[in-house]
mmCIF file of all heavy atoms in Angstrom:
data_model
loop_
_atom_site.group_PDB
_atom_site.id
_atom_site.type_symbol
_atom_site.label_atom_id
_atom_site.label_comp_id
_atom_site.label_asym_id
_atom_site.label_seq_id
_atom_site.Cartn_x
_atom_site.Cartn_y
_atom_site.Cartn_z
ATOM 1 N N ILE A 1 100.223 -81.337 -90.643
ATOM 2 C CA ILE A 1 101.421 -80.710 -91.234
ATOM 3 C C ILE A 1 101.118 -79.501 -92.084
ATOM 4 O O ILE A 1 102.070 -78.854 -92.570
ATOM 5 C CB ILE A 1 102.194 -81.767 -92.065
ATOM 6 C CG1 ILE A 1 101.311 -82.277 -93.221
ATOM 7 C CG2 ILE A 1 102.672 -82.894 -91.174
ATOM 8 C CD1 ILE A 1 102.054 -83.159 -94.200
ATOM 9 N N CYS A 2 99.853 -79.169 -92.278
ATOM 10 C CA CYS A 2 99.525 -78.025 -93.103
ATOM 11 C C CYS A 2 98.203 -77.393 -92.643
ATOM 12 O O CYS A 2 97.510 -77.956 -91.772
ATOM 13 C CB CYS A 2 99.427 -78.383 -94.586
ATOM 14 S SG CYS A 2 98.117 -79.559 -94.957
ATOM 15 N N ILE A 3 97.856 -76.247 -93.218
ATOM 16 C CA ILE A 3 96.659 -75.536 -92.780
ATOM 17 C C ILE A 3 95.395 -76.345 -93.114
ATOM 18 O O ILE A 3 94.440 -76.344 -92.338
ATOM 19 C CB ILE A 3 96.610 -74.137 -93.446
ATOM 20 C CG1 ILE A 3 97.766 -73.268 -92.934
ATOM 21 C CG2 ILE A 3 95.289 -73.454 -93.163
ATOM 22 C CD1 ILE A 3 97.774 -71.881 -93.465
ATOM 23 N N GLU A 4 95.387 -77.036 -94.250
ATOM 24 C CA GLU A 4 94.213 -77.846 -94.592
ATOM 25 C C GLU A 4 94.016 -78.972 -93.589
ATOM 26 O O GLU A 4 92.862 -79.327 -93.263
ATOM 27 C CB GLU A 4 94.367 -78.420 -96.028
ATOM 28 C CG GLU A 4 93.991 -77.423 -97.100
ATOM 29 C CD GLU A 4 92.581 -76.896 -96.999
ATOM 30 O OE1 GLU A 4 91.659 -77.683 -96.669
ATOM 31 O OE2 GLU A 4 92.369 -75.696 -97.213
ATOM 32 N N ASP A 5 95.099 -79.556 -93.079
ATOM 33 C CA ASP A 5 94.996 -80.534 -92.009
ATOM 34 C C ASP A 5 94.331 -79.919 -90.778
ATOM 35 O O ASP A 5 93.497 -80.531 -90.106
ATOM 36 C CB ASP A 5 96.375 -81.087 -91.630
ATOM 37 C CG ASP A 5 96.928 -82.037 -92.664
ATOM 38 O OD1 ASP A 5 96.125 -82.514 -93.498
ATOM 39 O OD2 ASP A 5 98.124 -82.316 -92.630
ATOM 40 N N LEU A 6 94.761 -78.701 -90.461
ATOM 41 C CA LEU A 6 94.221 -77.988 -89.293
ATOM 42 C C LEU A 6 92.723 -77.715 -89.459
ATOM 43 O O LEU A 6 91.938 -77.943 -88.523
ATOM 44 C CB LEU A 6 95.001 -76.694 -89.090
ATOM 45 C CG LEU A 6 94.625 -75.833 -87.860
ATOM 46 C CD1 LEU A 6 94.887 -76.595 -86.566
ATOM 47 C CD2 LEU A 6 95.426 -74.555 -87.900
ATOM 48 N N VAL A 7 92.339 -77.235 -90.651
ATOM 49 C CA VAL A 7 90.930 -76.972 -90.929
ATOM 50 C C VAL A 7 90.115 -78.243 -90.835
ATOM 51 O O VAL A 7 89.024 -78.268 -90.242
ATOM 52 C CB VAL A 7 90.786 -76.320 -92.329
ATOM 53 C CG1 VAL A 7 89.311 -76.244 -92.723
ATOM 54 C CG2 VAL A 7 91.384 -74.923 -92.350
ATOM 55 N N HIS A 8 90.643 -79.339 -91.388
ATOM 56 C CA HIS A 8 89.918 -80.609 -91.364
ATOM 57 C C HIS A 8 89.746 -81.123 -89.920
ATOM 58 O O HIS A 8 88.674 -81.630 -89.549
ATOM 59 C CB HIS A 8 90.685 -81.639 -92.218
ATOM 60 C CG HIS A 8 90.071 -82.998 -92.240
ATOM 61 N ND1 HIS A 8 90.467 -84.000 -91.380
ATOM 62 C CD2 HIS A 8 89.050 -83.505 -92.997
ATOM 63 C CE1 HIS A 8 89.746 -85.083 -91.611
ATOM 64 N NE2 HIS A 8 88.890 -84.814 -92.585
ATOM 65 N N GLU A 9 90.787 -80.986 -89.133
ATOM 66 C CA GLU A 9 90.736 -81.454 -87.734
ATOM 67 C C GLU A 9 89.659 -80.713 -86.944
ATOM 68 O O GLU A 9 88.918 -81.286 -86.140
ATOM 69 C CB GLU A 9 92.098 -81.282 -87.065
ATOM 70 C CG GLU A 9 92.262 -82.002 -85.736
ATOM 71 C CD GLU A 9 92.320 -83.516 -85.880
ATOM 72 O OE1 GLU A 9 92.657 -83.985 -86.980
ATOM 73 O OE2 GLU A 9 92.026 -84.194 -84.888
ATOM 74 N N ILE A 10 89.540 -79.389 -87.186
ATOM 75 C CA ILE A 10 88.558 -78.587 -86.481
ATOM 76 C C ILE A 10 87.162 -78.864 -87.022
ATOM 77 O O ILE A 10 86.215 -79.016 -86.257
ATOM 78 C CB ILE A 10 88.917 -77.077 -86.600
ATOM 79 C CG1 ILE A 10 90.199 -76.775 -85.841
ATOM 80 C CG2 ILE A 10 87.782 -76.213 -86.096
ATOM 81 C CD1 ILE A 10 90.755 -75.396 -86.066
ATOM 82 N N ALA A 11 87.022 -78.921 -88.345
ATOM 83 C CA ALA A 11 85.715 -79.108 -88.976
ATOM 84 C C ALA A 11 85.066 -80.448 -88.609
ATOM 85 O O ALA A 11 83.852 -80.534 -88.414
ATOM 86 C CB ALA A 11 85.806 -78.969 -90.482
ATOM 87 N N THR A 12 85.921 -81.475 -88.511
ATOM 88 C CA THR A 12 85.383 -82.833 -88.216
ATOM 89 C C THR A 12 85.496 -83.194 -86.719
ATOM 90 O O THR A 12 85.093 -84.268 -86.349
ATOM 91 C CB THR A 12 86.155 -83.883 -89.030
ATOM 92 O OG1 THR A 12 87.578 -83.810 -88.700
ATOM 93 C CG2 THR A 12 85.992 -83.625 -90.509
ATOM 94 N N CYS A 13 86.039 -82.271 -85.919
ATOM 95 C CA CYS A 13 86.266 -82.532 -84.490
ATOM 96 C C CYS A 13 87.015 -83.837 -84.314
ATOM 97 O O CYS A 13 86.583 -84.775 -83.653
ATOM 98 C CB CYS A 13 84.946 -82.561 -83.736
ATOM 99 S SG CYS A 13 85.137 -82.477 -81.938
ATOM 100 N N GLY A 14 88.207 -83.907 -84.906
ATOM 101 C CA GLY A 14 89.003 -85.107 -84.914
ATOM 102 C C GLY A 14 89.605 -85.443 -83.558
ATOM 103 O O GLY A 14 89.392 -84.714 -82.566
ATOM 104 N N PRO A 15 90.363 -86.536 -83.458
ATOM 105 C CA PRO A 15 90.912 -86.958 -82.161
ATOM 106 C C PRO A 15 91.909 -85.977 -81.569
ATOM 107 O O PRO A 15 92.141 -85.972 -80.356
ATOM 108 C CB PRO A 15 91.606 -88.282 -82.495
ATOM 109 C CG PRO A 15 91.810 -88.267 -83.973
ATOM 110 C CD PRO A 15 90.683 -87.450 -84.542
ATOM 111 N N ASN A 16 92.523 -85.125 -82.425
ATOM 112 C CA ASN A 16 93.490 -84.145 -81.917
ATOM 113 C C ASN A 16 92.937 -82.710 -81.959
ATOM 114 O O ASN A 16 93.669 -81.763 -82.106
ATOM 115 C CB ASN A 16 94.762 -84.192 -82.762
ATOM 116 C CG ASN A 16 95.438 -85.566 -82.714
ATOM 117 O OD1 ASN A 16 95.661 -86.115 -81.614
ATOM 118 N ND2 ASN A 16 95.750 -86.145 -83.832
ATOM 119 N N PHE A 17 91.599 -82.641 -81.776
ATOM 120 C CA PHE A 17 90.951 -81.308 -81.827
ATOM 121 C C PHE A 17 91.486 -80.398 -80.716
ATOM 122 O O PHE A 17 91.728 -79.205 -80.948
ATOM 123 C CB PHE A 17 89.437 -81.467 -81.669
ATOM 124 C CG PHE A 17 88.698 -80.163 -81.533
ATOM 125 C CD1 PHE A 17 88.325 -79.439 -82.656
ATOM 126 C CD2 PHE A 17 88.398 -79.633 -80.272
ATOM 127 C CE1 PHE A 17 87.670 -78.246 -82.544
ATOM 128 C CE2 PHE A 17 87.734 -78.427 -80.165
ATOM 129 C CZ PHE A 17 87.380 -77.722 -81.287
ATOM 130 N N LYS A 18 91.665 -80.928 -79.530
ATOM 131 C CA LYS A 18 92.141 -80.114 -78.400
ATOM 132 C C LYS A 18 93.486 -79.475 -78.695
ATOM 133 O O LYS A 18 93.721 -78.294 -78.470
ATOM 134 C CB LYS A 18 92.226 -80.960 -77.119
ATOM 135 C CG LYS A 18 92.646 -80.184 -75.892
ATOM 136 C CD LYS A 18 92.687 -81.075 -74.669
ATOM 137 C CE LYS A 18 93.165 -80.276 -73.450
ATOM 138 N NZ LYS A 18 93.264 -81.173 -72.252
ATOM 139 N N GLN A 19 94.420 -80.298 -79.209
ATOM 140 C CA GLN A 19 95.759 -79.786 -79.524
ATOM 141 C C GLN A 19 95.698 -78.754 -80.692
ATOM 142 O O GLN A 19 96.384 -77.726 -80.655
ATOM 143 C CB GLN A 19 96.692 -80.924 -79.933
ATOM 144 C CG GLN A 19 97.090 -81.856 -78.793
ATOM 145 C CD GLN A 19 96.035 -82.894 -78.465
ATOM 146 O OE1 GLN A 19 94.985 -82.953 -79.098
ATOM 147 N NE2 GLN A 19 96.293 -83.710 -77.454
ATOM 148 N N ALA A 20 94.833 -79.028 -81.703
ATOM 149 C CA ALA A 20 94.723 -78.128 -82.839
ATOM 150 C C ALA A 20 94.154 -76.782 -82.402
ATOM 151 O O ALA A 20 94.596 -75.720 -82.824
ATOM 152 C CB ALA A 20 93.856 -78.754 -83.915
ATOM 153 N N SER A 21 93.094 -76.838 -81.564
ATOM 154 C CA SER A 21 92.485 -75.599 -81.104
ATOM 155 C C SER A 21 93.408 -74.810 -80.186
ATOM 156 O O SER A 21 93.485 -73.576 -80.254
ATOM 157 C CB SER A 21 91.189 -75.929 -80.369
ATOM 158 O OG SER A 21 90.550 -74.768 -79.875
ATOM 159 N N SER A 22 94.132 -75.522 -79.322
ATOM 160 C CA SER A 22 95.047 -74.829 -78.376
ATOM 161 C C SER A 22 96.241 -74.210 -79.110
ATOM 162 O O SER A 22 96.815 -73.238 -78.616
ATOM 163 C CB SER A 22 95.560 -75.834 -77.321
ATOM 164 O OG SER A 22 94.481 -76.377 -76.585
ATOM 165 N N ALA A 23 96.617 -74.781 -80.255
ATOM 166 C CA ALA A 23 97.758 -74.214 -81.004
ATOM 167 C C ALA A 23 97.420 -72.910 -81.671
ATOM 168 O O ALA A 23 98.307 -72.148 -82.064
ATOM 169 C CB ALA A 23 98.212 -75.211 -82.060
ATOM 170 N N LEU A 24 96.117 -72.595 -81.802
ATOM 171 C CA LEU A 24 95.696 -71.331 -82.390
ATOM 172 C C LEU A 24 95.503 -70.272 -81.309
ATOM 173 O O LEU A 24 94.885 -70.540 -80.277
ATOM 174 C CB LEU A 24 94.370 -71.531 -83.168
ATOM 175 C CG LEU A 24 94.446 -72.323 -84.448
ATOM 176 C CD1 LEU A 24 93.021 -72.576 -84.966
ATOM 177 C CD2 LEU A 24 95.223 -71.570 -85.514
ATOM 178 N N TRP A 25 96.031 -69.098 -81.546
ATOM 179 C CA TRP A 25 95.772 -67.960 -80.676
ATOM 180 C C TRP A 25 94.303 -67.568 -80.808
ATOM 181 O O TRP A 25 93.745 -67.661 -81.907
ATOM 182 C CB TRP A 25 96.656 -66.798 -81.073
ATOM 183 C CG TRP A 25 96.764 -65.712 -80.014
ATOM 184 C CD1 TRP A 25 95.911 -64.694 -79.811
ATOM 185 C CD2 TRP A 25 97.823 -65.591 -79.031
ATOM 186 N NE1 TRP A 25 96.342 -63.926 -78.777
ATOM 187 C CE2 TRP A 25 97.495 -64.442 -78.273
ATOM 188 C CE3 TRP A 25 98.954 -66.317 -78.737
ATOM 189 C CZ2 TRP A 25 98.313 -64.006 -77.197
ATOM 190 C CZ3 TRP A 25 99.758 -65.863 -77.715
ATOM 191 C CH2 TRP A 25 99.438 -64.725 -76.964
ATOM 192 N N PRO A 26 93.617 -67.166 -79.713
ATOM 193 C CA PRO A 26 92.220 -66.750 -79.851
ATOM 194 C C PRO A 26 92.068 -65.699 -80.949
ATOM 195 O O PRO A 26 92.835 -64.736 -81.035
ATOM 196 C CB PRO A 26 91.888 -66.159 -78.464
ATOM 197 C CG PRO A 26 92.798 -66.877 -77.531
ATOM 198 C CD PRO A 26 94.068 -67.144 -78.294
ATOM 199 N N PHE A 27 91.068 -65.904 -81.789
ATOM 200 C CA PHE A 27 90.870 -65.022 -82.950
ATOM 201 C C PHE A 27 90.465 -63.623 -82.488
ATOM 202 O O PHE A 27 89.591 -63.455 -81.617
ATOM 203 C CB PHE A 27 89.803 -65.590 -83.871
ATOM 204 C CG PHE A 27 90.131 -66.901 -84.463
ATOM 205 C CD1 PHE A 27 89.767 -68.089 -83.859
ATOM 206 C CD2 PHE A 27 90.873 -66.956 -85.668
ATOM 207 C CE1 PHE A 27 90.117 -69.309 -84.423
ATOM 208 C CE2 PHE A 27 91.206 -68.171 -86.216
ATOM 209 C CZ PHE A 27 90.819 -69.355 -85.603
ATOM 210 N N LYS A 28 91.104 -62.601 -83.069
ATOM 211 C CA LYS A 28 90.747 -61.212 -82.772
ATOM 212 C C LYS A 28 89.921 -60.707 -83.949
ATOM 213 O O LYS A 28 90.472 -60.433 -85.022
ATOM 214 C CB LYS A 28 92.023 -60.366 -82.556
ATOM 215 C CG LYS A 28 92.795 -60.744 -81.329
ATOM 216 C CD LYS A 28 93.956 -59.809 -81.078
ATOM 217 C CE LYS A 28 94.671 -60.153 -79.773
ATOM 218 N NZ LYS A 28 95.749 -59.183 -79.451
ATOM 219 N N LEU A 29 88.617 -60.565 -83.745
ATOM 220 C CA LEU A 29 87.701 -60.214 -84.820
ATOM 221 C C LEU A 29 87.266 -58.750 -84.725
ATOM 222 O O LEU A 29 87.397 -58.109 -83.690
ATOM 223 C CB LEU A 29 86.483 -61.110 -84.771
ATOM 224 C CG LEU A 29 86.787 -62.625 -84.810
ATOM 225 C CD1 LEU A 29 85.509 -63.422 -84.631
ATOM 226 C CD2 LEU A 29 87.462 -63.021 -86.111
ATOM 227 N N SER A 30 86.743 -58.240 -85.844
ATOM 228 C CA SER A 30 86.229 -56.889 -85.901
ATOM 229 C C SER A 30 84.754 -56.926 -85.523
ATOM 230 O O SER A 30 84.112 -57.966 -85.473
ATOM 231 C CB SER A 30 86.395 -56.299 -87.286
ATOM 232 O OG SER A 30 87.736 -56.405 -87.731
ATOM 233 N N ASN A 31 84.176 -55.727 -85.285
ATOM 234 C CA ASN A 31 82.725 -55.627 -85.130
ATOM 235 C C ASN A 31 82.068 -56.041 -86.443
ATOM 236 O O ASN A 31 82.623 -55.793 -87.516
ATOM 237 C CB ASN A 31 82.306 -54.216 -84.770
ATOM 238 C CG ASN A 31 82.563 -53.926 -83.302
ATOM 239 O OD1 ASN A 31 82.471 -54.789 -82.436
ATOM 240 N ND2 ASN A 31 82.923 -52.698 -83.001
ATOM 241 N N PRO A 32 80.915 -56.673 -86.403
ATOM 242 C CA PRO A 32 80.277 -57.155 -87.649
ATOM 243 C C PRO A 32 79.919 -55.968 -88.539
ATOM 244 O O PRO A 32 79.613 -54.856 -88.081
ATOM 245 C CB PRO A 32 79.043 -57.895 -87.169
ATOM 246 C CG PRO A 32 78.774 -57.365 -85.805
ATOM 247 C CD PRO A 32 80.100 -57.008 -85.224
ATOM 248 N N THR A 33 79.929 -56.241 -89.838
ATOM 249 C CA THR A 33 79.524 -55.233 -90.838
ATOM 250 C C THR A 33 78.090 -54.795 -90.577
ATOM 251 O O THR A 33 77.189 -55.647 -90.499
ATOM 252 C CB THR A 33 79.625 -55.795 -92.255
ATOM 253 O OG1 THR A 33 80.958 -56.317 -92.460
ATOM 254 C CG2 THR A 33 79.314 -54.742 -93.279
ATOM 255 N N GLY A 34 77.863 -53.520 -90.405
ATOM 256 C CA GLY A 34 76.540 -53.044 -90.067
ATOM 257 C C GLY A 34 76.294 -52.911 -88.592
ATOM 258 O O GLY A 34 75.263 -52.367 -88.170
ATOM 259 N N GLY A 35 77.223 -53.378 -87.784
ATOM 260 C CA GLY A 35 77.137 -53.245 -86.326
ATOM 261 C C GLY A 35 76.287 -54.320 -85.667
ATOM 262 O O GLY A 35 75.664 -55.158 -86.338
ATOM 263 N N TRP A 36 76.280 -54.321 -84.336
ATOM 264 C CA TRP A 36 75.472 -55.229 -83.570
ATOM 265 C C TRP A 36 74.006 -54.771 -83.564
ATOM 266 O O TRP A 36 73.709 -53.627 -83.916
ATOM 267 C CB TRP A 36 75.995 -55.327 -82.128
ATOM 268 C CG TRP A 36 77.364 -55.824 -82.018
ATOM 269 C CD1 TRP A 36 78.493 -55.123 -81.779
ATOM 270 C CD2 TRP A 36 77.805 -57.193 -82.103
ATOM 271 N NE1 TRP A 36 79.579 -55.932 -81.724
ATOM 272 C CE2 TRP A 36 79.203 -57.205 -81.919
ATOM 273 C CE3 TRP A 36 77.145 -58.426 -82.303
ATOM 274 C CZ2 TRP A 36 79.938 -58.363 -81.944
ATOM 275 C CZ3 TRP A 36 77.877 -59.577 -82.320
ATOM 276 C CH2 TRP A 36 79.276 -59.561 -82.162
#
C-alpha cells in the first residue's frame, strides 16, 4: 500500500515480487558520473 512496502518486497524478494516489479516502469537512468 506504500512505497516502503514496495521497497521491502523487492529487497527481500517476497512472494509478490513479480507483481511489484511489473508494476514499475523500466528505470530510465543517466550515464554514470565520470562515464563508462
